[in-house]
Amino acid sequence: EVQLVESGGALVQPGGSLRLSCEASGFELSRYYMTWVRQAPGKGLEWVANIKQDGAEKFYVDSVKGRFTISRDNAKNSVYLHMNSLRAEDTAVYYCARDTGTIDYWGQGTLVTVSS
Amino acid sequence: QSALTQPASVSGSPGQSITISCTGTSSGVGTYNLVSWYQQHPGVAPKLIIYEGNERPSGVSSRFSGSTSGNTASLTISGLQAEDEAHYYCCSYAGSSSYVFGTGTTVSVL
């Protein structure tokens, strides 16, 4: 069974940093792109970033370019989202998901709140 | 990338059919046959119910069907049931390994 478990969400001040983690099981992580999607409270879904199987290519939505970095460690079955210079508008539930050209399996999400 | 446009809400009575539209301009709906649909109940993660325009994952009810015409994708729910009351989002591959989601539609069962 495919499982994705996010962690690392927290309350952080504007301008602060946070690292989200996503532990994958039930499939061979190294064979798949992986994606992060976020959902602000009461709002819709927004694709944030994804990373190629070997980590060599990474893609971001314009609003996080230069502030967020996606990475992965296939040996640890994990994907990460490093978030710097956080803003109030980054407040959201962040979902880790498997990416096959379709975003198919999702984790349960982790809440990031940016507030002073 | 601009979000794909969906109606804010759609409602129907039990047993009826409803259709949710998803319209994009430069966001890939008409370019790639990679439109997916997700069902999201409050407080839980989205669930994939349609991929590649009209394919259903294993375990998803055949009451859900998808189609695409030009820049518009559509999700039809037939035989509407109370459990179908949820938020629905379309999503399209938008090129350069990016994705764009729809604005979301709330389905109400009257």
Side-chain angles (χ1 to χ4, degrees):
Chain A
E1 178 191 6
V2 172
Q3 284 198 317
L4 297 164
V5 179
E6 303 93 336
S7 60
L11 171 63
V12 60
Q13 292 190 338
S17 299
L18 206 58
R19 187 186 83 159
L20 306 183
S21 299
C22 169
E23 184 170 350
S25 61
F27 67 102
E28 192 172 346
L29 182 66
S30 62
R31 296 181 61 186
Y32 294 89
Y33 267 77
M34 293 296 291
T35 275
W36 287 92
V37 176
R38 67 184 178 183
Q39 186 171 35
K43 302 297 184 181
L45 301 169
E46 180 183 37
W47 174 79
V48 174
N50 63 8
I51 184 169
K52 194 177 177 182
Q53 290 90 332
D54 61 0
E57 295 183 28
K58 306 172 185 182
F59 302 90
Y60 302 91
V61 68
D62 286 348
S63 59
V64 309
K65 283 180 181 175
R67 300 189 299 120
F68 289 13
T69 302
I70 189 171
S71 64
R72 65 193 296 162
D73 185 338
N74 290 334
K76 294 185 177 179
N77 290 313
S78 293
V79 182
Y80 308 99
L81 187 65
H82 307 256
M83 304 184 293
N84 296 323
S85 302
L86 282 160
R87 306 167 180 167
E89 54 265 35
D90 296 318
T91 294
V93 173
Y94 284 73
Y95 295 101
C96 169
R98 195 175 75 170
D99 183 348
T100 63
T102 292
I103 300 171
D104 55 7
Y105 288 94
W106 300 60
Q108 85 289 348
T110 188
L111 176 63
V112 174
T113 303
V114 184
S115 174
S116 55
Chain B
Q1 298 281 1
S2 298
L4 305 173
T5 301
Q6 298 180 231
S9 62
V10 174
S11 60
S13 300
Q16 285 187 329
S17 293
I18 61 169
T19 297
I20 303 168
S21 61
C22 167
T23 301
T25 52
S26 61
S27 302
V29 172
T31 304
Y32 309 98
N33 187 28
L34 288 172
V35 174
S36 51
W37 288 89
Y38 302 89
Q39 177 192 61
Q40 186 180 33
H41 288 104
V44 300
K47 173 189 173 184
L48 178 67
I49 55 174
I50 293 289
Y51 66 99
E52 293 178 7
N54 60 5
E55 299 293 328
R56 272 189 315 276
S58 175
V60 172
S61 172
S62 59
R63 299 185 299 104
F64 295 96
S65 61
S67 63
T68 305
S69 178
N71 287 331
T72 298
S74 298
L75 173 72
T76 297
I77 308 174
S78 58
L80 199 62
Q81 299 179 0
E83 68 206 48
D84 300 331
E85 196 160 277
H87 301 289
Y88 291 82
Y89 295 92
C90 61
C91 176
S92 177
Y93 179 73
S96 300
S97 293
S98 69
Y99 294 87
V100 60
F101 283 92
T103 49
T105 298
T106 300
V107 168
S108 301
V109 181
L110 303 174

